[in-house]
Amino acid sequence: MKKQDKIWLDGKFVDWDQAQVHILTHTLHYGFGVFEGTRCYKCVDGSAIFRLDEHLQRLYNSAQILTLEIPYAQEDLEAASCEILRVNKMEEGYLRHIVFIGEGEMGLGTMTNPIRTAIIAWAWGAYLGEEGLKKGIRLKTSSYARLPVQVFPTKAKAVGNYVNSILAKREALKAGYDEALMLDLSGYVAECSGENIFLVNNQTIRTTPESSSILNGITRKSVIQLARDQGYTVLETTFPRDEVYTADEVFLTGTAAEVTPVREVDNRQIGAGKAGPATLALQAAFFDVVKGKNKKYKQWLTYL
Ligand code: PPE
């Protein structure tokens, strides 16, 4: 990763190489922390962070679910999110917010360790590759089920939840695929390791509902609205993997993945085996919005 100049750590801008933590950092041992991923795009009229309010709200909700108290007001983190890009002279980039338990006592029941907060900005290109973004990627159904809500807080973007995602992702990569399709405990489709999933059949688009074991993606919500505004019917409904195989088009959404087409699932070609027309139209609409070219969705952008 290319180093930037500064990282925001506990209220201060510190040099990139100095933004370090102690080996006894509690979250490093037990995975109890929350994080966010947000993108800033270079727009036609400046630089803007996409849906910063929603991402920060989800960070505070994740912390509430885990009973972590973020020691900053949301407005402070909003200001620091813009500032970290400005001090690094970055016109675009990925923003990572993380709230974690620092060093002090060890043991699961520790209540006195400091709650620490960082905001890091780095340059991040197409998450699933430039070619994937254009032509589509290949999915493999994971042998790991998605975290069940009875066991894990799936609506919290919690650090430890990602053991499940990384197991699935590594399995898919080692088998020669780009990404893992994850089913819930009942065998219905949930999401991918770091993206939500959509199916297209004619003018109807389907995605798994918020009641499933999924992270309530902010890109997911945005694409649902863009699709409805373009006249598509969007259904939030559960479906088995069979319906993924027979969809005309499949695509994934996520902050990092943006809108990525899927061309193959479990060795079955999807549609024509390339990015489909609805996917490409929605991807173009999404990029127009995040780059400030569609004034109708201006309220989604926080200009630096
Ligand atoms: N599901 C999961 C499990 C998930 O991690 C993400 C984001 C999404 C859905 C999509 O959510 P949203 O970004 O709000 O549309 N995954 C982040 C992690 C990427 C990483 O490798 O780190 C992201 O896209 O920022």
Side-chain angles (χ1 to χ4, degrees), residues 6-274:
K6 302 281 184 193
I7 284 173
W8 188 93
L9 181 60
D10 299 325
K12 292 192 193 76
F13 292 98
V14 299
D15 288 344
W16 182 276
D17 286 330
Q18 303 305 318
Q20 293 177 358
V21 294
H22 195 271
I23 198 70
L24 285 174
T25 295
H26 193 274
T27 302
L28 180 63
H29 295 253
Y30 305 119
F32 203 77
V34 296
F35 71 105
E36 264 307 317
T38 311
R39 272 189 195 265
C40 173
Y41 289 91
K42 188 174 173 201
C43 295
V44 283
D45 47 357
S47 288
I49 303 174
F50 185 62
R51 305 200 83 166
L52 177 61
D53 288 349
E54 284 85 351
H55 281 281
L56 288 177
Q57 190 55 56
R58 191 169 66 187
L59 183 73
Y60 281 83
N61 288 346
S62 297
Q64 161 78 5
I65 293 169
L66 267 67
T67 68
L68 283 175
E69 205 162 315
I70 301 178
Y72 298 94
Q74 192 168 326
E75 302 82 71
D76 297 337
L77 294 193
E78 185 172 335
S81 304
C82 296
E83 202 54 28
I84 190 66
L85 289 151
R86 276 194 231 113
V87 300
N88 286 322
K89 299 190 175 51
M90 294 171 74
E91 289 181 310
E92 56 189 355
Y94 184 88
L95 273 184
R96 167 59 43 85
H97 297 80
I98 182 163
V99 178
F100 59 100
I101 305 181
E103 74 270 29
E105 302 299 322
M106 288 306 271
L108 305 186
T110 313
M111 294 289 183
T112 53
N113 292 16
I115 306 299
R116 308 191 60 185
T117 311
I119 309 174
I120 310 117
W122 67 81
W124 216 358
Y127 186 59
L128 294 157
E130 272 303 330
E131 200 173 301
L133 202 57
K134 289 198 184 85
K135 297 186 176 160
I137 62 158
R138 298 170 59 242
L139 299 185
K140 179 168 173 28
T141 300
S142 181
S143 67
Y144 290 98
R146 190 73 189 126
L147 305 169
V149 290
Q150 303 93 318
V151 182
F152 271 93
T154 62
K155 302 306 166 192
K157 201 166 163 61
V159 176
N161 288 2
Y162 282 80
V163 172
N164 177 246
S165 283
I166 295 175
L167 283 168
K169 179 85 184 186
R170 290 170 74 96
E171 180 186 66
L173 291 177
K174 281 170 184 280
Y177 293 80
D178 303 304
E179 183 51 281
L181 174 64
M182 302 188 75
L183 311 179
D184 65 18
L185 275 187
S186 310
Y188 288 91
V189 171
E191 59 180 341
C192 292
S193 73
E195 305 88 1
N196 294 114
I197 184 164
F198 286 75
L199 313 184
V200 185
N201 286 90
N202 300 317
Q203 283 293 299
T204 302
I205 296 181
R206 278 178 295 165
T207 190
T208 43
E210 291 194 352
S211 54
S212 292
S213 297
I214 62 165
L215 183 73
N216 295 347
I218 292 165
T219 321
R220 171 189 176 281
K221 199 166 109 185
S222 307
V223 167
I224 289 174
Q225 188 168 337
L226 287 176
R228 286 192 175 136
D229 291 353
Q230 293 202 2
Y232 291 97
T233 301
V234 183
L235 305 175
E236 297 178 59
T237 169
T238 50
F239 44 84
R241 62 207 273 191
D242 313 13
E243 302 201 21
V244 180
Y245 300 154
T246 57
D248 295 339
E249 301 179 35
V250 176
F251 65 87
L252 310 181
T253 63
T255 297
E258 301 167 308
V259 177
T260 298
V262 174
R263 64 183 164 87
E264 189 188 308
V265 182
D266 297 337
N267 304 320
R268 287 138 176 110
Q269 178 178 300
I270 304 301
K274 56 183 189 180

